[in-house]
Amino acid sequence: MRYIDPHIHVISRTTDDYERLAIAGCVAVSEPAFWPGYDRGGVEAFGDYFRQLTEHEPRRAAQYGIRHFCWLCINAKEAENVQLGREVIALIPEFLDRPNVLGIGEIGLNKNTPNECTIFCEHVDLAVGRDELVLIHTPHLEDKYKGTRMILDMLANEPRTDPNRVLVDHAEEHTIEAILDGGYWCGLTLYPITKCTRQRAADMIEMYGTERLLVNSAGDWGPSDPMAVPRLILEMRRRGHSDEDISTIVYENPLRFFSQCKRFSLG
Ligand SMILES: [Zn+2]
């Protein structure tokens, strides 16, 4: 079955992973800008990163017949440095019109600090001012419920926000309802340790239906599984879900959300 992984950090993965994705039916990936595992030395490093995401990686993916899209921002962890955050936000517009850029992301919160909130709101301001899509990272583990609430409150306080143009990611059982009730798109991240297993994701799909729900691997440089989406497809088949319902989750929904970006095309 063809599918899209709407959240995967493929620059951290090997070409063998690309080949496995392609064999499993992956036709497109979207890669949010994220923390590289260390704090970068300055704004120039973000310029290099954005060039990697918009120039080099699409070519690497194309060798496996996979379309590569990306999102730009400074991640919540490095955004604790507000001055650096503002320098990166000032840099983003010169990259925004590149053909594989889908919008601003993954912005969000890490430790739910005031500095993170400041830079989050300034990213949202940039996004709504330029009519860009937004992809949001919600914090992990014990910070998740509070951080998700704070993010939804900040979005609600920006009257220009159109929830249908925002994807709130890394949802779990205790945050999915508030995200969907707000009219946002909601992402479930299939992770081997933290976040959500494929069984829990399948349970949530059975409880909440397929509307505005996406699944992703969030594969990166840490313990993670780039094959997580095809494994969810197997889990849903095992439970007797129709190919049509499975395809809605793993292909049609990402396509529908991304298609709101004027630059997006799978052609
Ligand atoms: Zn991510």
Side-chain angles (χ1 to χ4, degrees):
M1 179 181 290
R2 69 183 168 177
Y3 77 93
I4 296 171
D5 193 334
H7 188 146
I8 180 168
H9 302 282
V10 265
I11 67 164
S12 313
R13 309 301 312 194
T14 63
T15 47
D16 286 354
D17 286 338
Y18 264 124
E19 189 181 36
R20 290 197 295 151
L21 293 178
I23 290 168
C26 182
V27 294
V29 293
S30 105
E31 173 153 18
F34 191 49
W35 188 60
Y38 60 92
D39 289 344
R40 296 171 178 89
V43 69
E44 298 81 10
F46 284 85
D48 291 340
Y49 180 43
F50 294 164
R51 272 188 292 280
Q52 182 180 16
L53 290 176
T54 57
E55 294 172 13
H56 175 71
E57 203 58 29
R59 288 197 295 267
R60 200 163 82 102
Q63 289 172 0
Y64 299 88
I66 294 174
R67 296 292 307 270
H68 178 276
F69 299 92
C70 71
W71 304 75
L72 305 177
C73 76
I74 178 170
N75 58 86
K77 204 170 168 72
E78 288 173 282
E80 184 58 25
N81 180 340
V82 170
Q83 191 197 325
L84 177 63
R86 289 184 171 145
E87 287 170 9
V88 174
I89 289 172
L91 176 72
I92 291 172
E94 70 178 85
F95 290 92
L96 264 181
D97 291 325
R98 295 193 171 193
N100 74 325
V101 177
L102 293 177
I104 302 297
E106 55 188 298
I107 60 170
L109 298 177
N110 178 47
K111 292 288 173 200
N112 303 336
T113 70
N115 284 357
E116 292 168 18
C117 291
T118 299
I119 294 301
F120 177 86
C121 291
E122 293 183 18
H123 275 118
V124 172
D125 182 65
L126 172 70
V128 295
R130 296 183 53 124
D131 204 24
E132 295 291 348
L133 299 179
V134 177
L135 193 154
I136 295 177
H137 164 101
T138 55
H140 303 301
L141 303 173
E142 70 271 17
D143 296 313
K144 184 175 293 291
Y145 181 77
K146 185 178 176 217
T148 302
R149 287 265 33 124
M150 289 168 68
I151 285 166
L152 297 180
D153 287 347
M154 288 188 282
L155 291 170
N157 284 334
E158 169 50 80
R160 296 173 297 166
T161 306
D162 175 358
N164 197 40
R165 296 177 62 79
V166 178
L167 167 59
V168 182
D169 218 329
H170 312 321
E172 290 182 27
E173 289 84 349
H174 57 316
T175 58
I176 182 171
E177 210 164 300
I179 295 166
L180 289 173
D181 284 353
Y184 303 99
W185 289 78
C186 180
L188 303 175
T189 294
L190 307 161
Y191 244 31
I193 40 172
T194 59
K195 303 191 176 94
C196 169
T197 62
R198 58 184 178 272
Q199 289 82 6
R200 284 168 56 198
D203 288 347
M204 282 187 266
I205 292 164
E206 286 164 3
M207 285 181 69
Y208 294 97
T210 56
E211 206 183 328
R212 280 182 286 115
L213 212 52
L214 310 178
V215 294
N216 60 74
S217 70
D220 59 14
W221 41 262
S224 52
D225 178 13
M227 298 295 281
V229 176
R231 287 191 216 283
L232 175 79
I233 293 173
L234 283 182
E235 174 67 17
M236 289 184 73
R237 282 211 178 114
R238 193 181 64 77
R239 295 183 183 205
H241 289 273
S242 69
D243 274 5
E244 195 185 336
D245 275 358
I246 300 172
S247 181
T248 299
I249 290 280
V250 302
Y251 183 74
E252 306 292 341
N253 279 355
L255 202 60
R256 238 171 251 150
F257 178 65
F258 295 163
S259 294
Q260 298 180 85
C261 171
K262 56 187 178 293
R263 295 173 295 270
F264 177 78
S265 153
L266 264 194

